[in-house]
Amino acid sequence: AKCQCKVVPKQRTNCGYPGISAAECKKIGCCFNASVPSVPWCYNPKQKKVKKVCPNDPYTRINCGYPAITAKDCTRRGCCFRAHPAGVPWCFYHRTVEE
């Protein structure tokens, strides 16, 4: 994504080798910007920001517990707990979404 390449020039970390082409740089998953001298032109993108969310659709839940697990034991495992509806896991894994 373009926004991941918006890195302040002095904070760029080198991702290529001297003389790498823009095409080769992008092919290895890096950003290329040759507009600022004496900083890396081929550099690592910013990490994607992700957050954990509990999925809203009860039918997409992936079980993280066992029958009759308590909310406390479920959250201790780092999972979501919702004691409804019947017939789906009440203790289930987060999904990660990009911010």
Side-chain angles (χ1 to χ4, degrees):
K2 283 252 184 280
C3 61
Q4 284 177 260
C5 288
K6 287 190 173 136
V7 178
V8 181
K10 66 177 187 279
Q11 291 179 341
R12 291 179 185 173
T13 54
N14 199 3
C15 189
Y17 50 84
I20 191 171
S21 69
E24 191 60 34
C25 177
K26 288 178 176 142
K27 197 189 291 176
I28 59 172
C30 303
C31 301
F32 190 87
N33 180 333
S35 65
V36 183
S38 66
V39 296
W41 289 357
C42 181
Y43 55 96
N44 291 296
K46 282 194 281 203
Q47 292 299 308
K48 288 180 182 159
K49 283 198 172 124
V50 293
K51 62 180 179 177
K52 287 181 170 182
V53 294
C54 294
N56 287 328
D57 181 354
Y59 300 99
T60 63
R61 292 177 183 173
I62 298 165
N63 199 352
C64 180
Y66 47 84
I69 190 171
T70 63
K72 195 162 144 190
D73 283 344
C74 178
T75 52
R76 200 178 285 142
R77 289 176 173 220
C79 294
C80 304
F81 186 86
R82 290 206 190 108
H84 56 80
V88 297
W90 287 0
C91 179
F92 50 97
Y93 288 100
H94 292 93
R95 285 216 331 264
T96 53
V97 292
E98 284 182 31
E99 287 183 16

